[in-house]
Each structure stands twice: as structure tokens, then as C-alpha cells.
Amino acid sequence: MGWQPVGMDELVEHWTVLDNELELVAGKRGATRLGFALLLKHYTQHGRFPRGRAEFPDDVVAFVSGQMKVPAAEFDSYQWTGSTIEYHRAQIREHLGFRVCSVQDAEKVTAWLAANVAHAERNADRVREELLKHCREEFIESPAPDRITRMVRSALHSAEETWFARITARLTAQTRARVLALVATADDAEEDQGGAGAEDGESVLALVKAMPGNVSLESMLREIRKLTAIRAIGLPPSLFADVAPKVLASWRQRAAVESPSHLRRRSDEAAVTLLSALLVEREREVTDSLVDLLIATVHRIGARAEQRVTNELINAFKRVSGKENILFAIAEASLAVPDGEVREVVFPAVRGGEQTLRELVHEYKTKGPVYRRTVQTTLKASYTNHYRKGLIELLGVLEFRSNNCAHRPVIDALGLVQRYAKAGNTTYYPLGESAPEHRGTRGQWAELVHRADKRGRRRIVRMVYEVATFQALREQLRCKEVWVVGAGRWCNPDEDLPADFEARRSEHYGELRKPLDAAVFISSLRQEMEQALTGLDEALPELDWVEVTERKAGAIKFTAPEAQEEPRNLRRVKNEVSRRWSAVPLIDMLKEAVLRTGCLKAVASVAGSGHLAAEVLAERLMLAIYAYGTNTGIRSVAGGAHGHTEEEIRYVRRRYLTPETARQIAVEIANATFAARDAGLWGAGSTAVASDSTHFRSWDQNLFTEWHSRYGGRGILVYWHVERGSVVVHSQTLRASASEVAAMVEGAIRHGTTMTVEGNYVDSHGQSEIGFGITRLLNVDLLPRIKQINRVRLYRPNAGETGAYPNLQAALTRPIRWDVIDANYDQVIKYATAIRTGTASTEAILSRFTRAASHPAYQAMLEIGRAQRTCFVARYLRDRQLQREIEEGLNVVESWNAANAVIYYGKGGEISTNRREEVEMAALCLRILQASLVYVNTLMLQAVLAEPAWAGLLGPADRRGLTPLFWSHVRPYGEVRLDMGSRLDLAAGRLGVGPSGSGRP
């Protein structure tokens, strides 16, 4: 077999025979001497004996043989069975103090694993790592692989059974009975529909599992009913307080995918725990959905009111010309006959008479304050007649709070609204009732909120006050100034911050590579600004692509670099690949990637131990991935030549293929691509990714779908992070209104692959001043293509230096407020730590950093971002190579987006599902298919370019433009034929039985 080369540092550290070890080797000769030394060093490093010659790279054998003064070839004659090797093993164990793992040792280790590891970790591989580590600490020889597997499974099962008994004991008998009643009445057929229906007779379990519908009153009422049903079970809030989040998530997933009949066959303790986990997690998710519905509904009320009024006014509007002449004619006629009647004097003086004057008055109303009052009146009517029912009921199930006393009036106003929710058709609040005044009741709404009654008393109009309060609530929810008890994404923002920050301050600062002293950080950033601006100012006269002068369109006039043509040799290489591997089915690309990378080996049933053979499971998983990734659907794929039915593929999808599993498969393929690359061909590993979004049209029957103004249609966004070599390292599904800045940061720091991301190319939508600030703190170099760079302003590093940088004066603006950064430095580091450690998502943090929020850390982050963007813009304008680098990086992700349409071709590329998990699964499976395409293409290109006739063909320009993302030789359409016995022969360029023999995973 082939080994990776072993570096000299590793040889010296792990394979040097020490002085005290030479005493054991003394007296041994030839192959016995060399074999004993290799066994000793292997045992010292791994805590177990090797299973044969194949575990020793030639570099290691040569290194140790030189120390033992024995030819390396002698090792081939070392006997791996018999009394000699057993004596050697006994000597080594005695020397190192290790013992063979006995039955008692295995029982103790298993019990230790169950109590200290498996109770908080359900991943078998990680539990195995802890087992081996514990054995070394206890000087126990690592058991055989099969025995380790049995011990790990036993520990996981034992820990889970202990949890089941403990959780069940925390519930009363009545609560346990209510939980078990969920599956006693539920029907498997109904559950298989995923709770998509909303029938009156559906089970409570089906209702709980169902995803929210589109933004409507019906969806809101259904989610309220769902939350009420969950709370009616009566689970205590602290039921899972001591359970690790990943364990709770695994239980929730298992309960979600198992049918009621399967849950009924479990023990009562297991069923109660799994269902309780589902209820607790769904309660949090439903609460988040209700907040989303509240925000979207309030926005929709206002947007539709404005649209309705605007349409009416546009239809009725006629622009009146010659208004000055009309006014003069009216004035002249009125003065001539001051005592006459209007109809006889004024109307005849105007061309068009009375109708023209009516149109003139109407034009004034449509352009003046009357328009806004008309919109507000229409909005109030829409709220009162339709949406009020849902919003009022929502106040009864959600508890709103705020950590800022400045926003307390909105909370108090909600209490007032709820107290008088059933007061009938009363127009005003009672006299003497105190109505809290907040931001929503001031400004444009003030005239409608307050009105004089028949007796001339100033009163508060109830329905208008409610509308204004809900609008204020929406704005403060969006920036998390107001939060919701029991929510997940909309929870207390203080919980987003790391609880141990004060205790581990130095460690957190060190992880971010930031100084503890704010003055040091400010000094470094200020110095970078000075150097960047000085460099641009001095180089500007010599730069023919940029000019900085006073102009109305913006001070900076920039000419982008010209696009470079694709080198001709690359076309020849791609044509050669297409000639050798013509019309390769896409399913074979996926199969080859799976078999070569082994990415499906770690797939485990989310519903517990599975009973399918590994080969059968792998085939059905690939068919499910192909069905989702091409959008053709499982029913269509099931009709192919592979021997698996639609029901069997759906079962595997539901039970085994979770979003987390699909994400891990994609990561494994990406890592395998990095490992398979020939450094001589592709160069050193890249540390930069390009990120951008793709719009996918989707059904308008779920809360996740939104209208996108830029793409002009309803759908969702998939945000990709693609490495320079066309390897996708991360993907996210986003709402159309979601922040691409948050998605960019999230993917750059939490991609999960072996790649180290230090730079991120983005388009204009993926950058902002806040984005520059966060990436500066997280040590990611944000490299955007700013479309309106002509309007960008460069900030000054120092106050009072108005004459500095004379060539940049037209583009300069105020100095950076370093005092703001200094006052809030610790706070912004705390927020950056929350993003890095994952205690909060980037979106949750950025939702606080909006212009609607009065947050001191927001101003400090803005100032950091302004300084960092100034540094970038100065560097970008001066460096032509950086400009081309960013363009090339973004071209990679644009090519990736182009491949989406080729692979995701089913149903016209529209996501035809109402369930958010299905939407996410479609995006992840598309990512797996494209990652497989890139992986196999990488191997194909390397096979072609390894031949002497092609090796010297590529020049520097060809190597720079070389990409494995092309599909001219791929056939994504047609009947799905999955033959695990046939392989792509990447050496000879044909379809056949490859080097893996049977082709089993």
C-alpha cells in the first residue's frame, strides 16, 4: 500500500529509540532486533501492538533500522505469529507498565465511559477516542477493534438507559400518561405525511410535528394552537436542564422521524424521554415561528395598506397642468366680481370648470400629509377586520420582556392592549386609564392615536393605539431590544454572550489574537490606516485606473481591470477529459466519490441502531441524495434500475439522512478533495473562499419563503462558500431578507472542513461597515467587490490633520472616534467571542447591531469597521493584483451558481415543498452532488496531466485558471442506474471495475 511521507520531525519525536529502551534491544539480532524496536515504538505511540507489516511506512522502517544497525529488508522476515512475538509483547508491556484488557477492565472502562462521556456525547467515534485515551491513562492495552465497538455501544446504551430512567422519574404519573397518549392515538399514515395537513381530526403529535405555513392569520392561529397543545402536556421547564444540547437534539430528531407504532414498541421510559425532548424543542421552535409570524404580519399589514392606497390614488390621479395660470384666472375673476357666486364666477374662469378644480384638490391630497393619514386609516381597518384576532391571541401565549428600561413602555402598552382585548366595540380607552406613550405613538401616528371625543376631551383611540403598539413591538423585536421568554432565536440577548467570559477573559482574548489593552489595539489599527492612506496618497499620481477629485457622482473614479480570456490549453485539457470519460452519469460521479472517500461510513440511524446492511444502506442513501440534489424527487428516482422501492428510499431518508448527516457527508468529500490534490499541479492550499447567494424559487406555503426584490420573485436563498479550487466548504439556506453579512461570517468561521479560512471574497451585498468590524475582530480578511466604490468615503486616522493626504482630500471624511472604541472595547470582544464559540449565531448578534438599536457596542463596532474598510479600500485602489484576485475569486462562486441550474434541474428548479427541513435538505444534497463532481473531476484532471504528453502543456496562466468545476462530460438526466459493481477507471479513462474490486463502500 502507499503511505503519506513521514516528516523528519515526526520520525525524531516518535521513532527515536531512547537509551533506556536500548537495554531491551540488547542481545537481539537481525530481524528480531529490528522487529522488537518497531513494536516497542509503535506501542509507545499508539498504546497497542501493530497488526502487521502494513502499519509501518517505509520511512519509519528505514529510520529505525539505521539506529538498530540492521538492514531494513530484514523486517520482511519478522514473524507476526508464534512464541517469539508473544515474548516480545510481554517484554514491552512489562517495560511500559501496561496490562492486557481483562473482562473486569472492560467492564470498568465501559462503566466509566457511560458515566463520564456517553452521557453527554452520542457520537460513537468521539466516544471511541475517549476510550482509547482513558485506556492509556490507566495503562490498559487498547482492546481489539471489534471489542472496542462493543464497549462503545454498551456505554452509549447504558448512558441512554440511565438518562431515560432519570428523566422519566422527574415527571408525575399524570404528565407521563399525557406524553404517552400522544402516540396512543396517532396514526402512522398520518405521520408519514409529515404533518403537512391541517385537518380537524389530526392527532396532537401530527400537529406538533407540522411546520408553519405561509404568513397568514390561519398560520398564526394554527401555531398558537400548537403551542397551547404542547404546554398542555405540562412538562417542567427544567426537565432537560442538565442534558447536553447535542444529546437533546439527537433525542428530538429520533422522536421526529420514528412513526407512532415504533415509539409504542419502545419502553415507557424511552418513549416518554424521546417525546418529551421533541415537545421541549418544538415549543422553542414554535415560539420562534410565532415571533416570525408577528414580525411578518405587522409588516404585511402596513405594506398592503400602502399598496392599496397607492393603487387607488394612482388610478384616480390625473396630473393638472398650468396650475399657476389657473390660480391667476381664479384670483382675477374673484376680484372682478367679489360678491358673486363661486359656481357663476370662479368655475367659468377655469378651463374644465369644476372638474379641474376637483382634480387639483385631489392632487394636493395625494402629495401632502393626507396620503399618510389615508394609509394609516386603511392599515387600521385591515388590522381591525382581519389580523387583530391572531395578534391578540398571540399576546396570550407569548411573554415579552426587555433588558432596557427605555423600552419598558412598549411592554406596558402590550399589557394595556391585552387587558382591553375583549372590551367590545368601544372606540376609546376609559377615562383615567393610563396609556404608556412609546415611540410608536409619536410622530406620524400621534394625530390618529389621540382624538377629541364629542365633549372635546382628548382621548386615546383604542384600535389605532393597538396598531401603533404592534408596529413599535416589531421594530424592537427585530433588534432584540424586546425578547420573548422560551424562544430560541428570539431569546434573552444576554444569553447569547459567553457566561464564562469574565473568568476566562485572557484565554478568550488570546483565542481572538487580540491584546487585552484597548490602547494597543487602537494603536495598531490607527497605524494600519496611516500606512494604507499614505501608500495610496503617494501612489495615486501614477495610477491610471483611479482618480480622486470633487464630482457630483462621487469622489472616486475607478476603472476595473479588464477580463482575461480563458487560456486555450485549458480547453484542450477539458476536451481530453470529455473524450476519455464521455457522458458519465451524475449518479456515477456520486457513487465514485462515496466509494473513494468513505463518507457514508459514519452515517448512523438517528432513530437508534439500524439493521440494514451497510451496502444496502449506502445505495439507498445515494439514491435519496440524488433525488433531493437534482430535485427530481424520490418517486422519480425509484423507477430506475437499482432494485430499491420508493418506500425503502423514503424510509432511509427519514430515518438516516438528517441535515446534520448530509452536512457531514459534504464536509468529508471536501476534505477528501483537499487530501487528493497534487500540490505540484494545484499549488499550496488556499486560505481564501468566495461567498455569494443563489435564489431558488419555492412554494409560497411556508414561513421561510419570501419575496426577493433583487430577483423579482418568491423563494429562498442558498449562500455558498467556495474555495479558490471550486471546493464548497459551507452552505446555508436563508430567507430573502436575511443578512448576507451574517451568512458570510458564519460560513467563514464555522465551515467544519480542514481548510483554514483567512480571507473571504464577497460581492457588495456581503459587506458592510459592521461586517468589516466583525471580521477584523475574528481575523478574517474581508475582500469585497464594492459596486458603488465611487461613493465610498475614507475616514481619517487622526483629528486635526486636515492637510494630510492632499491627493485624497475629495474622498476623505471625519476622523475615526477612537474614544468610542476604547470605551466599548471589552464589550465588542465579548460579542466576537460569542460568535467564535457559537454561544450565539452571527445573525443573532447582528440583529442587535442595527440602526434601530441604541446599543453602545454597535457604535464601537461601526468605528472599527469604518477604519478597517478604509484600510481595505486604500489597499484595493492601489493594488491591481488584489483587484484581479477578488474578481477571480468571485468568478469561482459565480461558476458554482451556474452549475446549480445544470444539476438542480427537476421541476424547473423550483423547491416544491412546504417544510423547512426539506428545503434545507435539498440545498445540502445539491452541495453533495456538486462536491462529488469537483472531487471526481480533480482526479480526472490529475490523471490526464500526469501523462508526459500533457504534463508540460500548462503554463502559469493555465495553472492559475485551472478548475475542476466543469460538466461537459457529465450526464445529469436520464434513467437512474446504480450499479455498485462498476467503477470509473480514472487511470485508463473508461467505465469499468476500478481498483476497489467489488466496489463496496
Side-chain angles (χ1 to χ4, degrees):
M1 64 176 293
W3 294 281
Q4 293 291 331
V6 182
M8 181 55 66
D9 292 341
E10 183 179 350
L11 289 172
V12 172
E13 180 180 0
H14 297 295
W15 297 99
T16 300
V17 181
L18 305 178
D19 293 341
N20 63 335
E21 296 170 338
L22 288 173
E23 299 175 2
L24 296 174
V25 181
K28 297 178 174 61
R29 299 289 183 270
T32 302
R33 179 182 178 88
L34 179 57
F36 181 89
L38 285 166
L39 257 65
L40 173 63
K41 299 310 297 182
H42 187 282
Y43 196 97
T44 303
Q45 181 178 353
H46 299 287
R48 64 171 179 83
F49 290 111
R51 288 178 282 273
R53 170 66 177 84
E55 292 197 41
F56 292 97
D58 293 339
D59 296 343
V60 169
V61 175
F63 183 74
V64 177
S65 67
Q67 299 175 70
M68 295 296 99
K69 304 296 190 292
V70 176
E74 292 283 333
F75 187 48
D76 292 333
S77 61
Y78 184 75
Q79 299 298 314
W80 291 93
T81 58
S83 58
T84 300
I85 192 172
E86 291 299 328
Y87 176 65
H88 288 175
R89 288 171 177 167
Q91 274 189 297
I92 292 172
R93 290 191 190 105
E94 182 180 0
H95 170 72
L96 296 174
F98 276 72
R99 64 182 185 275
V100 177
C101 184
S102 64
V103 175
Q104 293 78 10
D105 288 330
E107 291 176 351
K108 289 181 180 179
V109 171
T110 302
W112 179 87
L113 278 178
N116 297 280
V117 179
H119 77 291
E121 178 58 71
R122 306 304 301 169
N123 186 292
D125 291 336
R126 294 191 179 93
V127 176
R128 183 191 303 269
E129 293 173 4
E130 292 298 323
L131 183 151
L132 295 174
K133 179 181 178 182
H134 185 69
C135 285
R136 289 181 64 84
E137 292 173 351
E138 296 295 320
F139 294 95
I140 300 173
E141 185 177 308
S142 300
D146 291 343
R147 193 179 187 190
I148 290 177
T149 300
R150 291 193 297 271
M151 293 169 66
V152 169
R153 288 179 177 175
S154 176
L156 288 170
H157 177 75
S158 176
E160 191 166 67
E161 290 298 317
T162 301
W163 269 124
F164 289 167
R166 188 182 304 170
I167 296 298
T168 305
R170 295 173 180 174
L171 301 175
T172 64
Q174 294 80 5
T175 304
R176 291 197 296 268
R178 286 194 291 269
V179 172
L180 292 174
L182 294 174
V183 292
T185 58
D187 179 68
D188 284 357
E190 182 182 348
E191 292 299 312
D192 285 341
Q193 300 302 318
E199 304 298 332
D200 292 338
E202 69 178 341
S203 68
V204 176
L205 185 59
L207 176 66
V208 169
K209 289 184 178 182
M211 294 296 107
N214 59 350
V215 180
S216 65
L217 175 61
E218 291 73 19
S219 294
M220 184 178 294
L221 294 176
R222 179 180 170 82
E223 292 301 296
I224 292 172
R225 184 159 58 94
K226 190 184 302 180
L227 185 59
T228 303
I230 295 173
R231 291 176 176 175
I233 303 295
L235 295 175
S238 59
L239 180 62
F240 296 104
D242 55 348
V243 179
K246 62 176 67 176
V247 175
L248 182 61
S250 70
W251 291 343
R252 175 244 193 264
Q253 186 64 33
R254 285 160 61 180
V257 302
E258 283 198 7
S259 62
S261 59
H262 286 166
L263 288 167
R264 285 195 290 267
R265 287 197 293 269
R266 287 183 174 273
S267 66
D268 286 353
E269 290 80 5
V272 165
T273 303
L274 295 180
L275 287 169
S276 298
L278 174 65
L279 292 171
V280 168
E281 291 289 281
R282 286 296 292 145
E283 182 178 5
R284 187 179 297 112
E285 293 168 3
V286 172
T287 303
D288 282 336
S289 296
L290 280 172
V291 178
D292 291 334
L293 281 168
L294 186 153
I295 292 173
T297 299
V298 174
H299 171 71
R300 173 170 289 192
I301 294 172
R304 288 190 171 181
E306 289 201 13
Q307 185 65 36
R308 187 180 308 165
V309 173
T310 301
N311 289 339
E312 291 176 358
L313 295 179
I314 288 175
N315 293 334
F317 177 74
K318 292 182 180 179
R319 187 174 181 85
V320 181
S321 61
K323 286 182 278 291
E324 295 82 1
N325 295 333
I326 293 174
L327 179 60
F328 174 76
I330 292 174
E332 187 178 38
S334 300
L335 291 173
V337 190
D339 297 328
E341 295 184 4
V342 172
R343 189 174 300 278
E344 296 177 356
V345 177
V346 177
F347 287 176
V350 179
R351 183 179 179 182
E354 180 180 0
Q355 182 59 31
T356 300
L357 292 177
R358 290 185 183 276
E359 292 173 359
L360 185 61
V361 172
H362 190 71
E363 179 181 343
Y364 169 77
K365 289 182 177 180
T366 58
K367 301 175 82 173
V370 176
Y371 171 75
R372 175 50 49 191
R373 288 199 296 269
T374 305
V375 169
Q376 293 168 340
T377 304
T378 307
L379 188 154
K380 182 182 77 69
S382 178
Y383 164 79
T384 305
N385 298 330
H386 185 69
Y387 291 103
R388 182 176 184 271
K389 177 182 179 182
L391 292 173
I392 292 297
E393 286 196 26
L394 187 143
L395 293 181
V397 296
L398 296 185
E399 182 180 352
F400 299 95
R401 293 184 184 177
S402 177
N403 300 333
N404 190 339
C405 60
H407 304 288
R408 186 67 203 176
V410 174
I411 308 295
D412 295 336
L414 292 174
L416 175 65
V417 170
Q418 191 173 5
R419 286 201 307 274
Y420 288 93
K422 298 181 180 179
N425 295 324
T426 55
T427 303
Y428 306 107
Y429 284 113
L431 291 172
E433 180 64 68
S434 175
E437 184 177 342
H438 50 78
R439 185 184 301 177
T441 61
R442 296 189 290 267
Q444 296 177 343
W445 282 94
E447 294 183 15
L448 293 179
V449 169
H450 301 280
R451 187 194 304 171
D453 62 10
K454 295 179 180 179
R455 298 183 181 180
R457 294 171 298 187
R458 191 169 184 265
R459 304 285 292 277
I460 298 174
V461 183
R462 189 160 65 95
M463 292 302 170
V464 179
Y465 186 83
E466 290 181 7
V467 172
T469 299
F470 277 117
Q471 288 200 325
L473 174 64
R474 173 182 181 269
E475 294 304 318
Q476 292 174 18
L477 276 172
R478 293 178 67 198
C479 60
K480 297 192 78 170
E481 295 286 6
V482 173
W483 52 275
V484 181
V485 176
R489 288 181 291 109
W490 303 103
C491 66
N492 185 350
D494 289 346
E495 296 177 5
D496 294 338
L497 301 177
D500 63 345
F501 184 81
E502 298 300 330
R504 301 173 55 197
R505 178 186 302 274
S506 299
E507 182 179 344
H508 287 311
Y509 272 81
E511 291 290 339
L512 290 172
R513 305 201 299 272
K514 295 295 178 290
L516 287 167
D517 188 355
V520 176
F521 173 81
I522 290 172
S523 175
S524 174
L525 184 54
R526 191 201 303 259
Q527 185 177 0
E528 285 185 36
M529 286 186 69
E530 292 171 347
Q531 292 175 351
L533 290 173
T534 300
L536 178 60
D537 183 69
E538 294 175 351
L540 190 61
E542 306 298 327
L543 304 179
D544 57 1
W545 58 81
V546 62
E547 181 182 351
V548 179
T549 57
E550 290 284 357
R551 56 169 58 87
K552 187 175 181 180
I556 300 174
K557 184 180 181 181
F558 172 73
T559 304
E562 295 181 357
Q564 298 179 348
E565 294 184 2
E566 180 185 14
R568 294 182 179 180
N569 289 332
L570 291 186
R571 299 180 186 177
R572 295 176 59 187
V573 173
K574 292 178 182 178
N575 291 337
E576 179 64 15
V577 170
S578 299
R579 187 188 67 79
R580 297 188 186 190
W581 295 277
S582 60
V584 179
L586 182 59
I587 188 71
D588 285 344
M589 288 280 195
L590 173 63
K591 176 186 67 179
E592 196 66 29
V594 166
L595 296 179
R596 287 178 176 268
T597 64
C599 59
L600 297 185
K601 291 181 180 179
V603 175
S605 170
V606 297
S609 58
H611 304 288
L612 287 175
E615 297 84 354
V616 175
L617 176 60
E619 291 183 26
R620 293 177 185 174
L621 281 171
M622 281 188 277
L623 291 171
I625 291 170
Y626 186 85
Y628 276 85
T630 59
N631 203 31
T632 53
I634 290 178
R635 179 170 299 175
S636 176
V637 169
H642 44 67
H644 302 286
T645 66
E646 179 183 352
E647 290 74 16
E648 290 169 341
I649 300 174
R650 289 192 185 279
Y651 172 80
V652 165
R653 151 66 186 101
R654 184 178 66 250
R655 192 177 182 94
Y656 293 86
L657 191 60
T658 65
E660 185 56 39
T661 300
R663 194 173 292 109
Q664 187 58 37
I665 292 172
V667 168
E668 291 292 336
I669 296 175
N671 290 339
T673 307
F674 293 142
R677 279 180 179 169
D678 181 356
L681 179 62
W682 304 99
S686 174
T687 59
V689 294
S691 57
D692 196 11
S693 61
T694 310
H695 183 259
F696 288 86
R697 290 180 292 111
S698 63
W699 284 7
D700 189 27
Q701 300 302 314
N702 66 82
L703 186 58
F704 201 57
T705 298
E706 288 182 342
W707 178 273
H708 199 291
S709 58
R710 180 153 47 106
Y711 295 100
R714 290 195 172 273
I716 60 107
L717 297 180
V718 179
Y719 198 80
W720 309 99
H721 279 72
V722 186
E723 179 259 354
R724 290 290 301 272
S726 299
V727 176
V728 60
V729 299
H730 195 259
S731 64
Q732 304 165 74
T733 52
L734 306 174
R735 286 190 176 93
S737 60
S739 167
E740 292 194 15
V741 176
M744 176 272 298
V745 175
E746 196 76 10
I749 65 173
R750 262 190 279 281
H751 51 86
T753 69
T754 56
M755 179 183 179
T756 301
V757 175
E758 297 177 356
N760 203 133
Y761 310 110
V762 296
D763 216 333
S764 290
H765 299 281
Q767 60 85 31
S768 67
E769 291 175 341
I770 283 293
F772 272 104
I774 289 180
T775 51
R776 169 77 188 202
L777 295 173
L778 295 172
N779 305 301
V780 176
D781 194 8
L782 183 58
L783 303 168
R785 175 176 60 191
I786 306 176
K787 291 182 178 178
Q788 293 186 335
I789 197 169
N790 56 305
R791 298 188 179 277
V792 171
R793 307 293 289 180
L794 302 175
Y795 286 80
R796 300 177 184 271
N798 302 301
E801 297 182 356
T802 56
Y805 321 112
N807 295 322
L808 306 177
Q809 287 298 317
L812 291 173
T813 184
R814 68 167 176 82
I816 295 294
R817 298 189 179 101
W818 301 109
D819 58 322
V820 176
I821 299 175
D822 181 67
N824 296 280
Y825 178 63
D826 193 63
Q827 190 72 4
V828 297
I829 292 293
K830 187 181 294 186
Y831 279 103
T833 299
I835 296 174
R836 182 189 63 81
T837 59
T839 59
S841 66
T842 310
E843 184 180 7
I845 298 299
L846 284 184
S847 65
R848 302 198 71 183
F849 291 168
T850 63
R851 300 190 184 279
S854 55
H855 201 287
Y858 169 63
Q859 299 299 328
M861 193 77 79
L862 271 181
E863 293 301 313
I864 295 173
R866 287 162 178 160
Q868 180 64 21
R869 188 171 73 165
T870 297
C871 294
F872 165 77
V873 172
R875 178 164 56 110
Y876 177 83
L877 293 175
R878 190 183 67 219
D879 191 345
R880 204 61 162 172
Q881 182 57 38
L882 176 62
Q883 298 165 20
R884 293 194 177 96
E885 178 187 334
I886 293 174
E887 288 294 333
E888 290 172 2
L890 291 175
N891 287 340
V892 171
V893 75
E894 287 174 2
S895 298
W896 181 271
N897 289 336
N900 292 331
V902 176
I903 296 177
Y904 197 78
Y905 62 87
K907 304 178 183 67
E910 181 180 35
I911 299 177
S912 52
T913 177
N914 296 332
R915 298 172 61 84
R916 177 169 179 173
E917 182 181 314
E918 296 285 293
V919 172
E920 185 176 9
M921 184 59 65
L924 288 169
C925 290
L926 172 59
R927 171 181 168 185
I928 292 173
L929 288 181
Q930 290 192 214
S932 302
L933 171 69
V934 169
Y935 172 74
V936 176
N937 279 355
T938 298
L939 300 180
M940 288 179 173
L941 286 170
Q942 291 181 175
V944 170
L945 295 173
E947 298 178 3
W950 294 91
L953 181 66
L954 301 185
D958 299 296
R959 292 180 182 276
R960 187 173 59 249
L962 187 64
T963 174
L965 185 60
F966 60 97
W967 50 87
S968 57
H969 59 303
V970 178
R971 178 167 56 84
Y973 318 109
E975 183 181 8
V976 180
R977 296 178 177 273
L978 182 60
D979 182 4
M980 301 299 288
S982 87
R983 299 287 299 277
L984 289 174
D985 189 344
L986 298 181
R990 58 184 176 81
L991 185 65
V993 178
S996 297
S998 65
R1000 291 185 176 184

